[in-house]
Amino acid sequence: MKGVSGWFTLKGKSVNSIAYSFHRLTGIVLLLYLIAHLSFLTSLRIGEETYTAFISITVRPETLPLDSLLFLATFYHAFNGLRVVLNEFGLLYEARKVLIYLMTLLALLFWLYSTYMMYVFLTG
Amino acid sequence: MEREVLFRIRRFDGEKEYWQDFRFTARKGMTVLEGLYFIKENLDGSLAFRASCRMGICGSCAVKINGKPRLACETQIFDVGDVLEIEPLDNMPVLKDLIVDMDGFFRKHEAVKPYLIRKDDDYENPKELLQTPKELHAYYDFSLCIKCGACYSACPASATRSDYLGPAAITAAYRFCADSRDEGREDRLALVSGSEGVWRCHFNAECSEVCPKSIEPAKAIQKMRLMSAIHMIKSIFR
């Protein structure tokens, strides 16, 4: 058996596997984010000052690229997940490759817009 | 038209794995399988690979060519390029060079009962089972599987779970479940509805991309998944 490396082996594979690998990768990123997010929220139990100190580390212009990448991972995972759900219900199976391109395009558009909105929010 | 090509073959001697290069002059129309036979007959007699029909029917010559599982007998060398990396199929233990142990693959195929199940089986007095063209078309494409293992090799779910039935076995299960003459649907659905069955598929659909017979195993799995979901809901109310 090839093991987990089989999820990320792209040599000789089609766009389906690229989408699949990115879906796994963004899923792992979102899981890590969820752990960090819940840790931040849990810090409220220690006190509001601790929570504010934590938040001040991440909500600043220098961390915008990281926030932007997180949004990219989120939108990609969401839109590609929608495609997988559709296909797994037996819908639009024949158009699965077109759907990959369409969903990736939608994810990129949402990502660019959200990054712009975050930039405006942080820079005023 | 002739030109020199390089075959980079991943070999295994039972203990260690290594790459070996073979250069030879290939002619137009020459298949990868013919190239492998040329190497075996002229360059290195110890090279081991499987082949039988040489015409895309038996499925025994499936190997990875430049990363993609394909039938060596149906792939022309010049269609791939001048450098060909040839490896054994993934997700199956390698026995020697390009030969993999397909025992587990066939056991899974056998497990889904890939044959017609009838309550009125009577071999002494056989009777004709009629079928309309529409009923035939419901499963015909899926009956063309040659069990080459290309889909199983490309499947990332099979890469991480050795108990996953895999695309070929589930396609075989669907082929018989969709057959109007069959009466064994309940037996098969019980088999493929478990965690090692259709729900393990995460729709990579690479199986459909590599299938040399274009039978779309991913489609069969999704159809089987729907059938399985209905079966599970019905079983709650029984």
Side-chain angles (χ1 to χ4, degrees), chain B residues 150-228:
Chain B
C151 56
Y152 193 82
S153 170
C155 175
S158 300
T160 46
R161 280 282 296 259
S162 59
D163 57 352
Y164 173 49
L165 285 170
I170 297 174
T171 301
Y174 179 74
R175 176 256 174 272
F176 285 96
C177 285
D179 193 325
S180 59
R181 300 164 298 176
D182 184 74
E183 292 170 346
R185 183 188 281 206
E186 293 295 310
D187 292 357
R188 277 186 219 99
L189 281 170
L191 284 163
V192 302
S193 298
S195 65
E196 74 286 357
V198 288
W199 307 106
R200 185 53 49 190
C201 169
H202 294 158
F203 199 72
N204 174 280
E206 200 64 39
C207 51
S208 292
E209 300 295 327
V210 301
C211 178
K213 294 292 161 190
S214 305
I215 64 164
E216 304 265 20
K219 189 178 188 175
I221 295 171
Q222 303 327 311
K223 283 174 173 282
M224 197 75 218
R225 197 190 284 253
L226 185 64
M227 215 181 256
S228 172

Side-chain angles (χ1 to χ4, degrees), chain A residues 1-7 9 11-18 20-21 24 83-84 87-90 93-94 96-97, chain B residues 64 66-68 85 90-92 154 156-162 201-206 208-209 216 218-219 222 225:
Chain A
M1 283 203 326
K2 209 166 167 64
V4 174
S5 68
W7 297 351
T9 306
K11 191 183 174 192
K13 299 283 182 72
S14 69
V15 70
N16 295 296
S17 284
I18 297 169
Y20 180 89
S21 297
R24 294 265 146 160
R83 172 189 71 85
V84 174
N87 284 160
E88 288 194 351
F89 271 115
Y93 174 83
E94 313 295 345
R96 62 188 186 275
K97 280 189 178 170
Chain B
K64 270 170 67 187
N66 286 2
K68 185 177 180 180
E85 280 189 358
D90 285 330
N91 305 329
M92 287 175 259
S158 300
T160 46
R161 280 282 296 259
S162 59
C201 169
H202 294 158
F203 199 72
N204 174 280
E206 200 64 39
S208 292
E209 300 295 327
E216 304 265 20
K219 189 178 188 175
Q222 303 327 311
R225 197 190 284 253

Side-chain angles (χ1 to χ4, degrees), chain A:
Chain A
M1 283 203 326
K2 209 166 167 64
V4 174
S5 68
W7 297 351
F8 303 106
T9 306
L10 295 177
K11 191 183 174 192
K13 299 283 182 72
S14 69
V15 70
N16 295 296
S17 284
I18 297 169
Y20 180 89
S21 297
F22 273 116
H23 199 74
R24 294 265 146 160
L25 203 61
T26 51
I28 293 165
V29 168
L30 291 176
L31 177 68
L32 294 175
Y33 168 73
L34 184 67
I35 293 166
H37 178 68
L38 292 175
S39 305
F40 271 47
L41 286 180
T42 310
S43 71
L44 271 170
R45 291 170 67 92
I46 302 168
E48 199 180 329
E49 282 178 7
T50 315
Y51 174 75
T52 312
F54 267 130
I55 286 295
S56 65
I57 299 169
T58 51
V59 184
R60 54 187 178 154
E62 291 81 13
T63 56
L64 179 63
L66 286 175
D67 287 327
S68 177
L69 284 175
L70 178 67
F71 269 73
L72 177 61
T74 308
F75 285 129
Y76 181 82
H77 199 82
F79 281 107
N80 192 57
L82 186 64
R83 172 189 71 85
V84 174
V85 169
L86 282 172
N87 284 160
E88 288 194 351
F89 271 115
L91 300 169
L92 299 169
Y93 174 83
E94 313 295 345
R96 62 188 186 275
K97 280 189 178 170
V98 178
L99 268 184
I100 289 174
Y101 295 122
L102 182 68
M103 292 303 181
T104 307
L105 182 69
L106 281 172
L108 286 174
L109 289 174
F110 273 71
W111 170 59
L112 288 172
Y113 181 69
S114 63
T115 303
Y116 170 72
M117 291 304 286
M118 281 192 292
Y119 178 77
V120 169
F121 176 77
L122 281 169
T123 58

Side-chain angles (χ1 to χ4, degrees), chain A residues 11, chain B residues 5-12 17-22 24 31-37 39 47-50 61-73 75-77 80-90 94 96-99:
Chain A
K11 191 183 174 192
Chain B
V5 291
L6 169 66
F7 269 38
R8 294 199 70 224
I9 301 178
R10 199 176 89 199
R11 303 193 63 177
F12 178 66
E17 203 177 273
Y18 60 98
W19 287 89
Q20 191 172 1
D21 292 357
F22 298 97
F24 61 94
T31 64
V32 173
L33 183 61
E34 286 175 301
L36 291 172
Y37 272 120
I39 292 168
L47 179 67
F49 55 90
R50 275 201 194 102
C61 67
V63 287
K64 270 170 67 187
I65 303 168
N66 286 2
K68 185 177 180 180
R70 306 171 82 158
L71 293 182
C73 69
T75 308
Q76 292 192 14
I77 296 171
V80 182
D82 292 340
V83 180
L84 288 85
E85 280 189 358
I86 302 170
E87 301 170 75
L89 293 177
D90 285 330
V94 181
K96 186 177 183 341
D97 297 340
L98 301 175
I99 298 176

Side-chain angles (χ1 to χ4, degrees), chain B residues 95-194:
Chain B
L95 296 174
K96 186 177 183 341
D97 297 340
L98 301 175
I99 298 176
V100 290
D101 182 0
M102 297 185 81
D103 197 51
F105 173 78
F106 288 125
R107 292 287 83 79
K108 288 171 183 176
H109 189 259
E110 189 183 16
V112 299
K113 303 185 178 183
Y115 40 81
L116 278 184
I117 297 172
R118 297 279 303 177
K119 292 185 180 82
D120 59 356
D121 260 347
D122 183 358
Y123 292 105
E124 297 300 315
N125 304 296
K127 69 173 183 181
E128 192 177 9
L129 300 169
L130 297 176
Q131 203 164 42
T132 66
K134 193 181 172 188
E135 287 168 335
L136 173 71
H137 287 139
Y139 69 85
Y140 177 72
D141 284 353
F142 304 112
S143 70
L144 301 176
C145 176
I146 56 173
K147 286 93 189 165
C148 63
C151 56
Y152 193 82
S153 170
C155 175
S158 300
T160 46
R161 280 282 296 259
S162 59
D163 57 352
Y164 173 49
L165 285 170
I170 297 174
T171 301
Y174 179 74
R175 176 256 174 272
F176 285 96
C177 285
D179 193 325
S180 59
R181 300 164 298 176
D182 184 74
E183 292 170 346
R185 183 188 281 206
E186 293 295 310
D187 292 357
R188 277 186 219 99
L189 281 170
L191 284 163
V192 302
S193 298

